[in-house]
Amino acid sequence: MDARLPVRAFFTDRHGGVSAGPYESLNVATHVGDTAAAVSINRGVVQDRAGTPVIFMRPDHGIAVARLDESYLDGREPPVADVLTTTVRGLGLATLAADCVPLLAHDASSGAVAAAHIGREGLRKGVVDAAVAAIIDIRQTRSHPDSVTFSIGPCICGTCYEVSSQVASTVSRSHPTALATTSWGTPSLDLPRAVVGRLAELGFTRVFRHRFCTFEELRLFSYRREGTTGRQAGVIVCEGPPS
Ligand SMILES: [Zn+2]
């Protein structure tokens, strides 16, 4: 599905790949138990769609940022980080998720793009701020926040993501808009709403949000629903600095 950003950017679902069993079929993650050969073919499918080399994130529920230079055009592995950013023309970045929030960003003033993986731990630690800081740091000059656009892909919604009341209160202390209630009346977290809320606090309001819930949509991988499962990708391609 299209990410509705000014550059090539999209989110995959679980269809169109070669993986079998719980990874059927377009799993792009190497750390979930799928065969390496299948993941490699699936990543090729995603790269073909992007039309460029794509660097797949190695997320760790942290706030590390990896800024990728030209040396990544050969497709080598990035360092462990939950935010990837680049200004290299023709380089694609991919975030992986299966309930967590996949966030893509584009800054029209510098041409920089970013891909972020935001779960409840990353959110609490400040990964939204880390992603924004990375993109602002690249620009280095003051500019209007409206030059940065964001897209949030499929993730688990606030009425499905049940957590203990302790977790709910810990996360909502720094992100009050995360606090929600499941459709069955228990404490939950609304991660996408919290991301939108934090971006707004930082002055960014140009945020497109897909409303598909991974837990509810069977065409999407959901860790919460299935346990052993694959990951879908959110991909953004850098077109270089504006001319
Ligand atoms: Zn839901």
Side-chain angles (χ1 to χ4, degrees):
M1 53 196 87
D2 191 272
R4 316 266 189 104
L5 290 173
V7 290
R8 186 173 304 170
F10 58 89
F11 299 100
T12 63
D13 60 24
R14 65 186 299 165
H15 298 308
V18 300
S19 293
Y23 312 107
E24 187 183 345
S25 61
L26 191 60
N27 165 50
V28 294
T30 55
H31 65 284
V32 293
D34 196 0
T35 64
V39 174
S40 176
I41 292 170
N42 291 341
R43 288 185 169 190
V45 169
V46 174
Q47 299 202 71
D48 285 349
R49 168 130 186 233
T52 61
V54 173
I55 304 302
F56 290 84
M57 168 183 290
R58 297 166 62 203
D60 190 31
H61 295 278
I63 61 168
V65 175
R67 187 169 167 180
L68 307 186
D69 60 19
E70 288 80 2
S71 68
Y72 285 89
L73 283 168
D74 68 3
R76 68 192 174 96
E77 281 246 298
V80 171
D82 285 73
V83 180
L84 299 181
T85 184
T86 192
T87 52
V88 176
R89 187 190 309 271
L91 188 61
L93 308 178
T95 176
L96 317 182
D99 289 339
C100 291
V101 179
L103 177 71
L104 303 177
H106 170 254
D107 179 10
S109 69
S110 68
V113 298
H117 164 264
I118 306 166
R120 72 179 190 228
E121 267 305 293
L123 180 73
R124 188 182 62 74
K125 293 174 185 165
V127 72
V128 176
D129 295 46
V132 167
I135 229 167
I136 297 303
D137 183 50
I138 286 169
R139 186 162 52 193
Q140 290 187 335
T141 53
R142 281 166 169 266
S143 175
H144 201 270
D146 275 1
S147 73
V148 188
T149 47
F150 295 88
S151 181
I152 291 174
C155 51
I156 193 166
C157 82
T159 58
C160 290
Y161 190 32
E162 182 177 55
V163 294
S164 68
S165 52
Q166 187 189 345
V167 167
S169 73
T170 302
V171 174
S172 63
R173 213 169 293 142
S174 53
H175 294 81
T177 55
L179 199 57
T181 308
T182 60
S183 54
W184 52 98
T186 55
S188 71
L189 292 174
D190 191 326
L191 298 182
R193 188 173 69 194
V195 172
V196 172
R198 184 59 189 150
L199 288 173
E201 284 174 1
L202 296 170
F204 300 96
T205 54
R206 297 181 63 196
V207 185
F208 176 77
R209 181 180 160 191
H210 276 293
R211 295 280 169 174
F212 300 106
C213 170
T214 47
F215 188 79
E216 296 172 64
E217 292 265 348
L218 296 179
R219 68 181 167 124
L220 297 165
F221 293 115
S222 171
Y223 177 75
R224 179 56 77 95
R225 186 184 65 233
E226 302 186 17
T228 300
T229 191
R231 300 290 183 271
Q232 46 248 341
V235 178
I236 187 163
V237 176
C238 184
E239 294 181 355
S243 47

